[in-house]
Amino acid sequence: MKILTFISSISLNSGGPSRSVPMLVKGLAEEGVDITLMTIRSDDMNTHALDGTTAKLKILELGYTSSEIEKYLLEERFDLIQMQSIWDIPYHKLSKIAQKLHIPYIITPRGMLEPWSLSQKKWKKKIALMLYQMKDLKRAACIFTTAEMEAKHVRDLGIQVPISVIPNGIETGGYSCRKTIDRVKKQILFLSRIHVKKGIELLIDAYSHLHKDFPDWSIVIVGNGEADYIKSLENRVKTLELQDCIKILPPVFGDAKTKLYQESSLFCLPSFSENFGMVIAEAMSCGVPAITTKGTPWQLLNGEESTMGASLDILGEDRRTGWCIELSVQNLEIVLREAMSMDFHGLYEMGQRGSKLVNENFNYRSVAKKTKRLYEWILNGGEIPEFVVKKE
């Protein structure tokens, strides 16, 4: 079984997929899969996850041609291709070449088919769907989603190919759970790409109603984004006179990132839309209770049935590991007030439950095992895996 997975960029500044895709490739290599990660050259490429594995790396230089890719595929004789996003022309070109060479392929939408995402640049996406994207999706051997919510939204578009539901995985050892509250600050952390879909304005507005009641708390917003958008957030903070308690900082990586998680009392990702939310899993792995929205597939934070296959029975009677709310300024204000009013011991216990949940369900090794089973099923047939939903 020889597999090619393609992502247009694994730059550290590209968001969650630049971490989750190399981690999946690492896990598959450890499972004995002959796998190659193909990407386009960019700055700060996240290749360290592949170090020490048998995974191969194919870097395309800017200006590469379709004929070069076709020649490469013919030489390497891949059995299956997985594409790690949609819309961008490189994915469409690879789909066309795969169809021409009769190589089955999997498409991973990465949240790009969620209703909120489709509503952005709406007409441009409608045209792309009509011209090429829907055809590529309907000719795929499988659509790879990371949550049942995402799978439902894909099916609602009339796509009838098999859909798998396999969450992203993280290297939980790299996000170790804190064992003490001694160094924890009264700090709410937002750590993600700084983008309008992340709901940061709503978080700032909600906190503006609370900060006088919690003068010793603060918010740290960490990430990269468009300079103009970051400037607009800074202006909003200034207008609300919150400069002393809300800071917007550049992204951090490695040990500095883990330290930032571990010293924060709460993690907040108030997104309008997420297909998974890698940073939620990372924060929980570090023992930080998370606050997010029902635009993400993390209703299990409330102790509800998981949309990602996780068993919650292990958590005992008190299953809450965080809060998952309908997104609004009012709801954020309510849940932030509740969370900041808790004592550190209560937050610590909640974080310990969350870390256990993530370690048992979202470790990259278990995700890689499921993905390998998916590949084997697509190529060899047999009993359908329990995480695959065939057409109705």
Side-chain angles (χ1 to χ4, degrees):
M1 184 167 62
K2 192 170 184 179
I3 309 296
L4 175 70
T5 190
F6 172 69
I7 181 170
S8 60
S9 174
I10 53 171
S11 168
L12 285 169
N13 294 318
S14 297
S18 68
R19 302 193 306 281
S20 62
V21 173
M23 191 56 58
L24 176 60
V25 171
K26 170 187 171 79
L28 287 165
E30 291 175 353
E31 286 293 311
V33 177
D34 184 348
I35 187 161
T36 299
L37 172 61
M38 183 167 73
T39 190
I40 302 169
R41 186 176 295 281
S42 59
D43 295 331
D44 300 320
M45 291 194 297
N46 180 26
T47 61
H48 72 276
L50 307 186
D51 294 345
T53 75
T54 59
K56 306 175 187 71
L57 181 64
K58 170 67 174 177
I59 299 176
L60 303 175
E61 301 299 335
L62 296 176
Y64 74 93
T65 65
S66 294
S67 59
E68 290 174 29
I69 299 301
E70 184 172 341
K71 180 182 177 183
Y72 174 67
L73 296 186
L74 285 168
E75 290 174 349
E76 294 296 324
R77 300 173 64 86
F78 291 104
D79 298 306
L80 181 66
I81 299 170
Q82 182 169 8
M83 285 169 262
Q84 297 288 351
S85 192
I86 60 172
W87 300 126
D88 290 347
I89 292 302
Y91 296 104
H92 170 57
K93 287 183 176 179
L94 186 55
S95 298
K96 286 183 65 177
I97 296 168
Q99 292 168 30
K100 178 181 177 181
L101 300 180
H102 304 290
I103 303 172
Y105 63 87
I106 297 168
I107 291 180
T108 312
R110 296 283 168 195
M112 300 292 186
L113 295 175
E114 293 297 283
W116 188 91
S117 293
L118 289 174
S119 72
Q120 309 302 302
K121 301 180 181 178
K122 183 175 180 179
W123 289 107
K124 183 178 180 180
K125 289 177 179 176
K126 279 192 172 184
I127 293 170
L129 280 169
M130 180 179 65
L131 291 178
Y132 65 89
Q133 191 61 77
M134 187 60 76
K135 293 176 185 176
D136 291 346
L137 288 162
K138 289 184 174 181
R139 291 170 179 167
C142 180
I143 307 298
F144 188 111
T145 67
T146 56
E148 288 179 7
M149 178 177 69
E150 185 182 20
K152 179 183 183 301
H153 291 153
V154 170
R155 191 67 87 209
D156 288 345
L157 293 172
I159 298 168
Q160 295 300 316
V161 303
I163 299 175
S164 65
V165 183
I166 302 175
N168 285 332
I170 68 169
E171 188 169 19
T172 52
Y175 298 98
S176 57
C177 185
R178 58 190 176 201
K179 301 302 180 185
T180 178
I181 59 175
D182 292 346
R183 298 181 181 178
V184 178
K185 302 176 182 178
K186 291 186 175 181
Q187 173 175 285
I188 301 164
L189 173 64
F190 169 96
L191 189 154
S192 187
R193 186 163 56 104
I194 297 179
H195 186 275
V196 65
K197 86 168 186 173
K198 304 293 184 175
I200 303 170
E201 291 96 336
L202 280 71
L203 174 60
I204 293 170
D205 289 351
Y207 196 73
S208 71
H209 303 151
L210 295 168
H211 74 103
K212 291 182 180 178
D213 295 334
F214 300 92
D216 50 350
W217 280 76
S218 64
I219 293 180
V220 180
I221 297 168
V222 180
N224 64 309
E226 295 293 333
D228 288 346
Y229 180 59
I230 293 175
K231 185 64 176 178
S232 74
L233 293 177
E234 290 172 340
N235 289 337
R236 195 183 201 96
V237 170
K238 185 176 181 181
T239 299
L240 294 169
E241 299 182 349
L242 298 174
Q243 305 96 307
D244 292 338
C245 53
I246 298 181
K247 303 297 181 185
I248 301 176
L249 304 174
V252 293
F253 306 102
D255 292 342
K257 181 179 177 182
T258 301
K259 178 178 180 292
L260 190 56
Y261 280 132
Q262 291 178 339
E263 68 184 19
S264 299
S265 293
L266 296 164
F267 180 81
C268 187
L269 184 73
S271 287
F272 288 95
S273 177
E274 295 282 343
N275 66 306
F276 182 77
M278 285 285 291
V279 289
I280 297 173
E282 291 170 0
M284 290 173 65
S285 181
C286 289
V288 186
I291 298 170
T292 191
T293 71
K294 293 186 178 179
T296 77
W298 286 90
Q299 284 84 353
L300 75 168
L301 294 177
N302 295 335
E304 299 174 25
E305 287 301 315
S306 169
T307 60
M308 293 176 283
S311 170
L312 299 178
D313 296 339
I314 57 173
L315 299 181
E317 184 177 349
D318 185 357
R319 305 194 300 182
R320 181 182 288 279
T321 58
W323 296 263
C324 189
I325 62 172
E326 294 288 351
L327 180 56
S328 71
V329 172
Q330 182 180 18
N331 287 346
L332 274 171
E333 181 181 346
I334 290 170
V335 75
L336 284 170
R337 183 178 295 277
E338 177 186 341
M340 289 189 291
S341 297
M342 291 179 63
D343 61 42
F344 271 18
H345 179 74
L347 290 174
Y348 175 79
E349 292 300 323
M350 187 181 290
Q352 296 297 300
R353 291 194 294 271
S355 183
K356 184 176 182 182
L357 177 68
V358 168
N359 273 267
E360 295 192 2
N361 294 280
F362 304 116
N363 186 286
Y364 78 95
R365 292 183 178 89
S366 63
V367 170
K369 289 179 187 293
K370 286 185 177 181
T371 305
K372 181 182 179 183
R373 284 180 58 201
L374 175 67
Y375 294 164
E376 291 170 340
W377 175 72
I378 290 172
L379 293 173
N380 304 322
E383 184 177 354
I384 184 170
E386 70 279 3
F387 48 81
V388 173
V389 182
K390 297 191 74 173
K391 68 179 181 179
E392 298 173 357

